Amino acid sequence: MAFAINKVQNVRPATPGGRKRKRSPLAGWLGKKPAEKPDEELPALDVAGGLNRALRNAQQRAEKPSPGIDENPVREALTAIEAALYAIDRVRDILEQACEVTISAKDADDAGGRALLAESYDELRLSINEALDKIDPRAAVLIGKGQRHIDVMLGGRTRYSVSPVRLDVSENGLDLPPPADAFAGFDEIDEILAHLDTALGRADRAAASYCRDAQYLIARMKADAAANVETVQTS
């Protein structure tokens, strides 16, 4: 398996710490400048190898289950996170296409041309909901329909919760409005560009949050595996 988010890594400028930070493709149009000291750097999204190894090792253990153990809740949560990251990557692809179409409308002199671009933007906007309707059921728990927290019991009363994020085009999700005036005026174009910029940020924050969840759960899985090995060796 591979994290779908790897593709997004390639477009992030490097930070002094060696990590990379996403920057909206609309930053130039919206007059934004990269912050010298960003409030919150995205975590290093190099957890793909660790997640893959953790899932593979968990699968091997699942093939020879210990007495009384029917499932691995940590592995199930990691699988859901990976599926969600694939889906977020798809949503971000659509958002970037919508950005390109909307930016093109700023260069269109005639209202008819802008109206055609508005139609293309609206089709892309609605395709986000369509894409979410077809995602892996494991990802749907976190970013699709029927969202809920994934609560992972880690032993005793310790519980780790992975939170859902709404990424449809509604006001409570990405908040992408339709082109009510068919891009007749440039004010509407600028407004939609601002909404797209915010939507990209929401998608990026969701991906970063799930990567942090994965990093923690991978570490916990490795620790549990090491403890099990030590128990077997001493028994």
Side-chain angles (χ1 to χ4, degrees), residues 84 132 135 137-150 162-168 170 172-174 202 206 210:
L132 291 177
I135 60 176
R138 295 167 296 184
V141 172
L142 293 176
I143 65 170
K145 292 182 177 180
Q147 294 181 346
R148 62 177 175 81
H149 286 75
I150 296 179
V162 182
S163 301
V165 179
R166 189 166 178 173
L167 292 180
D168 60 14
S170 69
N172 293 326
L174 296 176
R202 183 175 176 84
Y210 289 141

Side-chain angles (χ1 to χ4, degrees), residues 7 9 69 72-73 88 102 116 121-122 129 158 173 179 181 196 206 214:
K7 178 172 61 178
Q9 281 185 288
I69 297 179
N72 187 320
I88 292 172
T102 308
L116 289 174
Y121 157 75
D122 200 39
N129 284 355
T158 304
D181 296 328
L196 285 167

